[in-house]
Amino acid sequence: MSSWKKAAKMSQKTHRERHQPEARKHLGLLEKKKDYIIRARDFQEKRATIKLLRKRALNKNPDEFHFHMINSKVVNGVHREKDKEDQHTPEQIKLMETQDLRYVAYKRNIEAKKIDKLQSQLHMIDAANETQNQHIFFLDDVEIKNFDLAKKLDTHPALLSRRTNRPTLSAIKNMKLPELDNKTIAKFEQKKHMTYKELEKRIDRERELTVVQQKLEIRRALKDKKVRKPKLVKSGSKDAAPIYRWKFERKR
């Protein structure tokens, strides 16, 4: 490249788009060329789409029919396929409901076993220690002045707040306690917290499965045509099954 071209290139001025004048600042940012190109293309695409749809509407055959016209419905402005209902005999429906009830009872039994296993691991020690102790000691006036609770219970003073797993001083001397640092203790606390959270979730799930099982049992009992229709005592909710009262009939 010659020196003249280099000098010409260095002397070129970089042209920039002007900013919004102060007098028109209240109108917002000044539209740049790239913004105009995006807005123009969007407008042209929408105009072409509307033109095409108008043309299709004018050329549409009024006698045209398609099965999708009756097999779909508009939900929030969107066409969706209708659910096709399967035809079942009463025996098939009864069998499917029985299978559903057995499956729910099976899953509930699994959750109950897991809850028992977690509770046996945790022993609910924290909840027991939070409960106030109501141990009563009967002492004389002389004994009250020199009363030492840790000495009375034969344990360390730091363990007085615990209701469970409170060893005596002789048992503490014979214990071989491992050396634990703060990191290991924090890891144990986190693991215990996660186990409690899992226990809480499984208890909620077992409660929900119980409600579902009760609702299925009520629904199956209501379909029995051999007994008189019961009276509704309390409507069902998301937390409880409905309550019905059947008229007592003495069996022969």
Side-chain angles (χ1 to χ4, degrees), residues 79-221:
H79 278 275
R80 297 187 182 276
E81 295 288 341
K82 290 184 179 178
D83 297 331
K84 296 182 180 180
E85 298 182 357
D86 298 331
Q87 300 296 329
H88 302 291
T89 61
E91 290 77 11
Q92 291 174 347
I93 295 176
K94 186 176 181 180
L95 179 61
M96 287 188 294
E97 290 178 350
T98 305
Q99 294 294 331
D100 292 341
L101 182 58
R102 289 178 180 175
Y103 176 75
V104 172
Y106 168 72
K107 297 297 289 184
R108 176 174 170 248
N109 189 25
I110 291 178
E111 291 296 331
K113 289 182 178 179
K114 291 181 178 179
I115 289 172
D116 293 339
K117 185 177 180 181
L118 289 174
Q119 287 179 344
S120 63
Q121 292 176 358
L122 295 172
H123 299 291
M124 309 303 288
I125 295 176
D126 294 340
N129 290 331
E130 291 177 359
T131 307
Q132 293 183 357
N133 200 342
Q134 297 180 354
H135 200 132
I136 300 175
F137 294 96
F138 296 93
L139 305 172
D140 298 334
D141 295 338
V142 180
E143 294 177 342
I144 293 176
K145 296 180 181 179
N146 302 322
F147 180 69
D148 187 0
L149 183 59
K151 185 177 180 181
K152 181 72 176 178
L153 297 175
D154 191 21
T155 186
H156 194 274
L159 302 176
L160 291 176
S161 60
R162 307 185 65 176
R163 298 191 62 187
T164 59
N165 194 13
R166 187 170 55 198
T168 60
L169 292 175
S170 58
I172 293 174
K173 292 179 181 178
N174 298 328
M175 286 182 181
K176 294 181 180 180
L177 299 177
E179 296 182 0
L180 299 176
D181 54 353
N182 295 331
K183 187 177 181 180
T184 307
I185 295 174
K187 186 177 180 180
F188 286 151
E189 289 293 331
Q190 183 181 6
K191 185 177 180 180
K192 183 178 68 173
H193 177 71
M194 295 300 295
T195 308
Y196 273 111
K197 295 291 290 184
E198 182 183 358
L199 176 62
E200 182 181 0
K201 291 180 181 179
R202 292 197 179 277
I203 290 175
D204 293 339
R205 178 167 174 77
E206 195 270 339
R207 189 184 300 113
E208 291 179 358
L209 289 173
T210 303
V211 174
V212 172
Q213 182 179 355
Q214 292 174 352
K215 289 182 178 180
L216 289 175
E217 291 175 349
I218 290 292
R219 188 181 301 174
R220 186 176 64 174

Side-chain angles (χ1 to χ4, degrees), residues 43-103:
F43 171 76
Q44 292 169 3
E45 290 177 0
K46 291 179 180 178
R47 183 175 61 181
T49 303
I50 293 173
K51 185 178 179 180
L52 178 62
L53 293 176
R54 185 180 290 111
K55 183 178 179 180
R56 289 180 179 177
L58 291 174
N59 297 333
K60 183 180 179 182
N61 183 5
D63 297 329
E64 182 182 358
F65 173 78
H66 196 274
F67 282 102
H68 194 257
M69 296 178 181
I70 59 175
N71 292 337
S72 64
K73 59 181 179 179
V74 179
V75 180
N76 297 329
V78 180
H79 278 275
R80 297 187 182 276
E81 295 288 341
K82 290 184 179 178
D83 297 331
K84 296 182 180 180
E85 298 182 357
D86 298 331
Q87 300 296 329
H88 302 291
T89 61
E91 290 77 11
Q92 291 174 347
I93 295 176
K94 186 176 181 180
L95 179 61
M96 287 188 294
E97 290 178 350
T98 305
Q99 294 294 331
D100 292 341
L101 182 58
R102 289 178 180 175
Y103 176 75

